[in-house]
DNA sequence: GAGCCGTGGTC
DNA sequence: TGACCAAGGCT
């Protein structure tokens, strides 16, 4: 069964592979490891459509890993703004500097796994796609395809071990990179989460989920927790056509990103409501934003001042706010004020 | 293992 | 329209 699956899938991939900017066409030499790594990190929990313009911008501005390694971290953070999961950008810079210091990318799964931001999935994907190593690449697509192919009915995440064992079984010794990308293309276009296109699937004859009549019900997932709703405030402080921006600290929510000052709202609780300046504030409205694990209603209040707010920050020209690299929540707040 | 960490698209 | 989803990693 294993050989049949990989043969049919690779044959399908040779005919139907998506043409993506970071990808070699079937039969072409493997692409630059830098481009493979960058695309894989950007694609973590992120759609192809969202990644494309960022990949284009990054590879134009930083054509090599050495260019990226030489860039100030804050420039990379600003360029990442809007893509989300900002720890990826922080780790991207760390990894680029490590790679540049080593004189190039390591070419084994084990060594790649040591770079910050490369977990089990990404290390396997880069090893297979960029270096032709046989590696078992398991992402959400593979979990879905394998769950259906083998009719695994144990709910995620408990079924991960069984899924990995089945993925190991069908991963071929050669063309492991094409095989991994084929699994992802199949998951993205045929074996989709909703309404799988079984009639077009190259694996339909081998699929136990299809044979058992309910492939769309797989994989079974544990129910998700409800998201709490939090309240908070952000402050728009303006002086001489410039707005006061701060840099968020550390590794927490939106860590390392430029932002408006706020009242300390978080996933764990509401903000204090305490403003960073005395004086009259004018309400500009409310921004509603949903994060992975909570929803936020953030009211935005404005003040023009001649004073310098407390703490670290910078006056940023309002007409150049697009270049500040604000994460989407604060970009929404700015839009509200400037509308 | 489970919680934390973004965003935009889809139905 | 709200819930779900997308090429996960870190702690």
């Amino acid at each position: 069964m294993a050989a049949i699956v990989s043969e049919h899938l690779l044959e399908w991939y040779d005919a139907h592979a998506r043409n993506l900017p970071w990808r070699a066409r079937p039969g072409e030499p493997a692409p630059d490891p830098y481009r493979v790594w960058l695309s894989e990190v950007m694609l973590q929990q992120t759609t192809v459509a969202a990644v494309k313009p960022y990949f284009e911008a990054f590879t134009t501005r930083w054509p090599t890993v050495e260019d990226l390694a030489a860039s100030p971290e804050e420039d990379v953070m600003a360029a990442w703004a809007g893509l989300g999961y900002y720890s990826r950008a922080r780790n991207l810079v760390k990894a680029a500097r490590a790679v540049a210091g080593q004189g190039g990318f390591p070419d084994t799964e084990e060594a790649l796994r040591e770079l910050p931001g490369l977990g089990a999935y990404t290390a396997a994907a880069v090893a297979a796609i960029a270096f032709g190593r046989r590696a078992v690449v398991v992402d959400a697509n593979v979990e879905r395809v394998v769950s259906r192919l083998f009719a695994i009915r144990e709910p995620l995440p408990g079924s991960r071990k069984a899924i990995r064992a089945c993925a190991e079984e069908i991963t071929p010794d050669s063309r492991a990179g094409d095989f991994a990308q084929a699994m992802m293309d199949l998951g993205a276009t045929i074996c989709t989460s909703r309404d799988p296109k079984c009639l077009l699937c190259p694996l339909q004859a081998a699929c136990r989920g299809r044979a058992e009549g309910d492939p769309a019900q797989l994989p079974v997932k544990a129910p998700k927790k409800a998201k709490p709703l939090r309240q908070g405030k952000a402050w728009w402080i303006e002086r001489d056509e410039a707005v006061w921006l701060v840099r968020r600290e550390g590794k927490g929510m939106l860590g390392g990103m430029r932002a408006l000052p706020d009242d300390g709202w978080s996933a764990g609780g509401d903000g204090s409501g305490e403003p960073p300046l005395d004086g009259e504030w004018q309400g500009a409205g409310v921004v509603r934003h949903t994060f992975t694990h909570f929803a936020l209603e953030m009211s935005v209040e404005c003040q023009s001042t001649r004073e310098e707010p407390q703490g670290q920050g910078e006056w940023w020209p309002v007409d150049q706010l697009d270049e500040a690299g604000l994460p989407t929540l604060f970009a929404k707040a700015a839009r509200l004020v400037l509308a």
Side-chain angles (χ1 to χ4, degrees), chain A residues 124-185:
Chain A
V126 174
I129 297 168
F131 298 111
R133 303 278 187 179
R134 183 185 183 278
V136 181
V137 179
V138 181
D139 72 325
N141 286 301
V142 175
E143 286 182 350
R144 185 169 58 257
V145 171
V146 166
S147 294
R148 290 171 177 170
L149 191 55
F150 292 86
I152 295 170
R153 295 185 182 280
E154 180 189 1
L156 283 168
S159 57
R160 292 245 156 87
K161 204 167 178 180
I163 290 171
R164 172 161 289 278
C166 292
E168 161 77 45
E169 199 178 308
I170 60 175
T171 299
D173 290 327
S174 65
R175 298 190 66 188
D178 283 348
F179 178 79
Q181 295 179 93
M183 289 287 276
M184 294 189 256
D185 278 17

Side-chain angles (χ1 to χ4, degrees), chain A residues 242-253:
Chain A
V243 60
W244 183 252
L245 298 184
V246 300
R247 186 172 296 282
R248 295 177 65 85
E249 286 183 25
K251 300 184 261 188
M253 175 78 74

Side-chain angles (χ1 to χ4, degrees), chain A residues 115-129:
Chain A
L115 293 171
L118 277 79
Y121 162 75
T122 307
V126 174
I129 297 168

